[in-house]
Amino acid sequence: VIEKCLCVVCLDDPSGMEVGDTSRALLMLHGGGHEKMGANRWYDKPMQFIVGEDGVCGTVCEHSPFEGIVLVACTEYLMKFMTGSPSKMGRATSVSELPTPARLLWKTTPHIQGLLKASAERLQKLVRNLDMDVHKFEVYGKEFIKKQKMSPDAYIQVALQLAFYRCNGRLVSTYESASIRRFHEGRVDNIRSATSEALAFVKAMTDEKASLSDSEKMKRLWYAINAQTNYTITAITGLGIDNHLLGLREIAQELKMERPEIFTDETYVASNQFILSTSQVPTTVEMFCCYGPVVPNGYGCCYNPQSDHLLFSVTSFHGSTETCSAVFIKALDEGLVEMRDLLLKMSVLPTTSVQ
């Protein structure tokens, strides 16, 4: 029955947690552990619709079959239908009559009970380890960035590089998902945001701040934005490097060839350890998405640029001494404000453009 169903609806009891964006995100992602709603999930299903008695609701997506943007499109459609056409709810002639819900009977053994207990303990460890922080940056939003003739996504990616450099004194391999749905069976490729141009800019805002003029900082910002924008275009038009290299690696394995040397090179291995894993998931209604880091010492950062504010969901692991979500968000806030201040300073000077 469960295998054949299209989705799962999880009806949650009140969580007992203080309701806020971060607690909502945690309840969606892991249910608060087995003592709360963690056992009221079925993570193998592509979509779970969660409705809590205390008003906390959302959806959980198992990533294998589709991208987050598909889930957002589905959710927005439902939300607009509910708010725009409440009189049509459940009355459309195209809706078929559903069978009466039936309780599923389970046969368990002491062995299965032992496995369930072990799973609950593993879940609890994951819950305790996750450091989630959902943050609304309210100083400005994407409209301000657009007025500077800059791509909001590229701008935010450069700001993420600045935040990471502030926290760690270096840049690292960064993943940003690039949709290639325009191609048959296309999913995503990778926009590698840690460019040399981004490094030059973040150094101008940190190590070299006192010695560089505002015009030089501005020039480097434009170079970083342009490099990010160009790489984005390259990736979404099928000319990125990651999918092609992955394809070659898998073909070599299928043909039982000796693994080509490039795939064992330390640079290739390091370049695929995405310590900063990011994704823009924009929405037309107020909502946000979140996910965990992809490596033990990394960050997951999903962001949603709105007109007058920016939403960030930042995750890391408490078990890592190298990361802290609150520290990263503080650095991100400071960088976004400094970037705005630089833009405002330069707007009163004669306009210059960088190609």
Side-chain angles (χ1 to χ4, degrees), residues 88-126:
K88 295 181 182 177
M89 290 301 293
R91 296 188 181 91
T93 54
S94 60
V95 177
S96 60
E97 287 296 322
L98 295 174
T100 304
R103 181 181 293 274
L104 300 179
L105 300 177
W106 301 81
K107 292 180 181 178
T108 64
T109 63
H111 175 65
I112 290 174
Q113 291 293 346
L115 293 174
L116 289 171
K117 184 180 178 183
S119 294
E121 289 169 357
R122 283 200 302 274
L123 173 62
Q124 212 59 28
K125 286 180 182 177
L126 291 169

Side-chain angles (χ1 to χ4, degrees), residues 112-336:
I112 290 174
Q113 291 293 346
L115 293 174
L116 289 171
K117 184 180 178 183
S119 294
E121 289 169 357
R122 283 200 302 274
L123 173 62
Q124 212 59 28
K125 286 180 182 177
L126 291 169
V127 168
R128 284 194 294 267
N129 195 23
L130 184 66
D131 181 6
M132 167 78 75
D133 201 330
V134 180
H135 174 64
K136 182 187 285 190
F137 176 78
E138 297 185 279
V139 180
Y140 59 90
K142 66 180 179 182
E143 290 308 315
F144 170 78
I145 303 169
K146 286 181 179 179
K147 285 178 182 175
Q148 315 308 312
K149 306 290 192 254
M150 293 175 173
S151 154
D153 183 64
Y155 183 97
I156 293 169
Q157 282 293 325
V158 172
L160 291 170
Q161 296 299 314
L162 176 56
F164 192 92
Y165 190 88
R166 270 237 165 82
C167 295
N168 300 277
R170 64 191 175 110
L171 295 190
V172 288
S173 224
T174 304
Y175 178 97
E176 183 195 0
S177 55
S179 176
I180 49 172
R181 283 163 60 82
R182 68 182 69 197
F183 298 103
H184 180 59
E185 295 188 2
R187 295 262 328 239
V188 291
D189 206 330
N190 177 21
I191 304 164
R192 290 183 171 267
S193 306
T195 62
S196 56
E197 292 86 354
L199 179 60
F201 170 69
V202 302
K203 283 185 172 180
M205 300 297 282
T206 53
D207 306 344
E208 304 168 13
K209 186 175 183 178
S211 61
L212 294 178
S213 66
D214 287 339
S215 60
E216 176 61 25
K217 293 171 188 171
M218 189 70 195
K219 186 194 296 183
R220 292 192 187 187
L221 174 57
W222 268 114
Y223 282 141
I225 294 284
N226 287 342
Q228 180 69 21
T229 301
N230 291 337
Y231 203 124
T232 300
I233 295 168
T234 296
I236 65 175
T237 54
L239 300 174
I241 63 169
D242 285 84
N243 278 4
H244 295 293
L245 287 171
L246 174 64
L248 290 170
R249 191 186 77 191
E250 294 304 299
I251 289 168
Q253 187 171 326
E254 285 179 18
L255 296 177
K256 295 183 170 50
M257 294 169 55
E258 183 178 345
R259 179 170 282 201
E261 198 174 311
I262 185 174
F263 300 117
T264 57
D265 187 277
E266 61 179 340
T267 304
Y268 177 82
V269 174
S271 75
N272 282 279
Q273 291 293 306
F274 295 111
I275 291 175
L276 190 53
S277 178
T278 73
S279 180
Q280 176 185 231
V281 185
T283 65
T284 58
V285 295
E286 190 77 5
M287 68 168 96
F288 62 88
C289 295
C290 60
Y291 48 81
V294 298
V295 292
N297 61 333
Y299 288 103
C301 182
C302 191
Y303 54 94
N304 180 355
Q306 295 290 293
S307 295
D308 60 354
H309 63 274
L310 307 172
L311 286 165
F312 294 95
S313 301
V314 175
T315 54
S316 58
F317 292 121
H318 290 298
S320 170
T321 57
E322 301 172 37
T323 58
C324 174
S325 297
V327 169
F328 185 85
I329 280 177
K330 184 174 182 292
L332 182 58
D333 273 0
E334 290 171 358
L336 286 165

